[in-house]
Amino acid sequence: MLAVPSCGTVRNKRHSYMNYEILYTPDVLHRAFNRAMRGHRNDAEHAAAEAHKIETIEYLARQLRRETYEPRPLRQFWVTEPKRRQIQAPCVMDKIVQNALVDGLLYDWLTKPFIRDCYSSVKGRGTSDGLARLKLFMGEYYRCHGAEGWVLKCDIHHYFDSIDQSDVLRRAERYVPDARVMALLAKYVRLTSHGLPLGLRTSQPLANLELCEIDHRIKEVYRCRYYGRYMDDFYIIHSDKAFLKELRREIEAGLAAIGLRLNDKTQIFPLAHGIEFLGFRTYMTDTGKVVRVLRQTAKTALKRGIKRYEAMYRAGAAHEEIQQSYRSRRAHLMQGNCRGLILRCDTKMKDIFKEESMNE
């Protein structure tokens, strides 16, 4: 069985000065407040908080100093892209505290044991880095083994909802040296009866941490060079299909030990079929050229998004708000071999705004 070994406990002298008291310092709370407001200043709740910024920061500092701060109940709603899922959203006060907690302390502590090829919620990585690493791995694999190979592509069933709260807090305690920080973190984890709340910033590093030791075992014990993970979506490229079958059984056993299981999308298939990862299908030609095209589901979501922009524009939404959203989508498309698709989308956006060009 794929045992889950300890990665050790972080006790870095560089962070010896970092403790709970940092959370209620003016600089940390000010930055946390500004981050919470970003992109939401037209929202009534955020506008009210910004109108009383000094009082809000002083209130939070006082509550945190006394260790009496209690998170508010989460607001729950459903989103449909990229897939249907329930989001638990915090109030403005909790957004500020979460930002202070993650940016001030937890990020440096909890990301220490992450492997290089863990791409989510790590500064300087993200989807662009994950796609670039996959292209690098495919190129290296071709030079060593040619175009023939196999892929184990894994996804975990209802990942955030299935994480054992006690287990993830136990893992976090290895790296968080301040018991008061752990107590505050536990309050946010316990806001739901099970799993991790999907809309909280603290949930991102904790969810990464839950699979961190399995990452190390795949990389260091099984020596899988061509492995990458974005949250619960991960792949392994290998020349031996039998090896991947055995590794899948080991991964399933390791996940079962912490109450998780792979979903039905998990499979082993030829490398020639390409790998669907981070919104693109990346495949390799017979000559070793790596090509990246948008997944069909992502194309459908893109079409729906452009129709929604048109409806927003007709309803009186701000031009800049729509432009900003489209620029974000367009930047994602630029990571693939999607020139024709981008031009078609630019044309549709021009039609929405008539003479106003959206083309950069």
Side-chain angles (χ1 to χ4, degrees), residues 52 73 147 175 182-183 198-199 201 210 212 243 295 338 360:
H52 301 89
Y175 306 101
M182 276 302 305
L198 197 54
R201 282 197 69 201
E210 185 73 355
C212 177
F243 171 86
R295 292 172 55 185
C338 308
E360 297 179 355

Side-chain angles (χ1 to χ4, degrees), residues 269-284:
F269 53 85
L271 179 58
H273 290 180
I275 301 174
E276 291 197 354
F277 189 60
L278 300 177
F280 290 90
R281 184 171 72 88
T282 304
Y283 64 92
M284 191 165 53

